[in-house]
Amino acid sequence: MTEPDDEFEWEDDVAAVGQRVTAEAVLPRSCTGLRLDQALAQVWPEYSRSRLQQWLKQREVLVDGEPAAPRRRVLGGERVRMDAQAQLTERWLPEAMALEIVHADEHLIVIDKPAGLVVHPGAGNARGTLINGLLHRFPELAALPRAGIVHRLDKDTSGLLVVARSDAAHGHLLRQLADRSMGRTYLAVCEGLPTAGMRIDAPIARDPRNRLRMAVVSGGRAAVTHVTVLERFRAHALLECRLETGRTHQIRVHLRHEGLPLVGDALYGARRRLPPSPSLRLAATLRAFRRQALHAWRLQLVHPGTGQVVAYEAPLAEELEVLVEVLREDAVSAAGSS
């Protein structure tokens, strides 16, 4: 699938910038005990919870005629009225940049992100991020929370990332992430040789000894990764990693915990491990590989517009493909000379 033509038209959703949004509803008894923002997300699923929270804070949603806090608990039976205006959620600057667009329609965009590209503007990265590029190519994303971004990839991880293109799609995709129905599968090259596939169930939190890292920590947030061994080399392995949860640095942390750090991932203990008597090409390739060997290969989700299950795939980034080729070549050569 290729990038759409410049004439590709996006159908404005009901929360386009500057447009007033009005609605009324009675909160059902099934919402009893929920926070108000959670209840509203059930009543008006076409809007993301962050959007609804914003409107509540701006007093643009009234409960029985009065403003109410997003965390207020619902009794059931309250009458809610919304009279809101969609505003730009952030003031990020659009920037022209080349983007590899795997798919785009009026509901979502799927990007194949290169390694080295930061997803979200932040301290030290106000410009040159994926969001800056998306806002140039799809300016209507300025109306959405975080410009439609619903999940992230680390700067030095390549591969697929889905972006919502409407409030309805934004809420739909966030719910899929929350209920773990969105399938995210990665390809990774690790140092070490796992004996078999595994299910890693280990909680993750900020590393108390290094605030730049995450770690497996008792009492951390639940995290589950399913690992399949696709190919073993002499001192490395090609793995398929499927996320059941989506914690920060989850695959990197879990593999390090198992003694299998990703090639190139110095933050999580990679040592540029070499097999005995490596080929010159392998030694040079590993020496030059300076990012974690992790690629978001496959993305499966329920399409917000059609309700159908769809899947997208992105081939390995070139430098990762070369790494696998060289590891395979070294393993074959060593087997032939033994």
Side-chain angles (χ1 to χ4, degrees), residues 127-299:
R127 305 289 298 272
T129 73
L130 175 62
I131 281 184
N132 298 117
L134 283 169
L135 289 173
H136 182 271
R137 178 66 183 83
F138 304 100
E140 67 275 4
L141 295 180
L144 297 177
R146 298 183 185 86
I149 296 288
V150 294
H151 68 115
R152 300 188 191 184
L153 295 177
D154 296 337
K155 173 185 175 183
D156 289 327
T157 297
S158 56
L160 295 177
L161 185 144
V162 64
V163 181
R165 209 168 175 186
S166 70
D167 257 317
H170 189 259
H172 198 288
L173 294 172
L174 284 175
R175 285 191 292 277
Q176 290 184 57
L177 286 166
D179 66 21
R180 304 182 183 181
S181 61
M182 183 183 293
R184 289 170 292 163
T185 306
Y186 292 68
L187 297 177
V189 180
C190 71
E191 295 184 348
L193 292 171
T195 56
M198 66 193 87
R199 178 181 185 269
I200 306 173
D201 184 352
I204 290 176
R206 186 70 58 184
D207 189 334
R209 295 172 297 180
N210 183 340
R211 302 301 293 173
L212 296 177
R213 298 189 312 201
M214 309 299 286
V216 170
V217 177
S218 177
R221 300 182 71 189
V224 179
T225 306
H226 300 267
V227 179
T228 301
V229 181
L230 297 181
E231 193 169 354
R232 291 180 181 84
F233 309 109
R234 291 204 292 150
H236 303 81
L238 175 64
L239 308 176
E240 178 184 289
C241 302
R242 181 173 60 82
L243 291 179
E244 187 173 314
T245 55
R247 308 304 177 207
T248 301
H249 297 178
Q250 179 172 316
I251 292 172
R252 301 165 67 187
V253 172
H254 273 172
L255 289 177
R256 176 180 186 265
H257 181 67
E258 296 294 329
L260 301 166
L262 295 175
V263 169
D265 195 355
L267 182 64
Y268 287 102
R271 303 289 185 186
R272 291 187 186 162
R273 180 174 176 177
L274 290 170
S277 303
S279 67
L280 292 177
R281 188 181 181 206
L282 176 58
T285 300
L286 287 171
R287 190 164 50 247
F289 201 91
R290 299 187 180 277
R291 61 100 161 181
Q292 65 260 14
L294 186 62
H295 178 76
W297 165 60
R298 193 170 196 270
L299 186 65

Side-chain angles (χ1 to χ4, degrees), residues 55-109:
W55 285 338
L56 282 165
K57 291 174 182 177
Q58 294 170 180
R59 300 189 168 199
E60 294 180 304
V61 179
L62 302 180
V63 180
D64 292 332
E66 300 290 337
R71 292 182 176 274
R72 166 179 166 172
R73 294 294 171 176
V74 168
L75 298 175
E78 296 96 329
R79 181 172 294 279
V80 291
R81 174 174 172 75
M82 173 168 57
D83 186 358
Q85 185 167 8
Q87 303 290 340
L88 294 178
T89 59
E90 303 286 351
R91 296 292 179 181
W92 297 314
L93 295 175
E95 288 182 67
M97 67 176 65
L99 296 175
E100 184 67 30
I101 298 177
V102 175
H103 174 82
D105 59 37
E106 65 267 35
H107 302 284
L108 56 81
I109 305 157

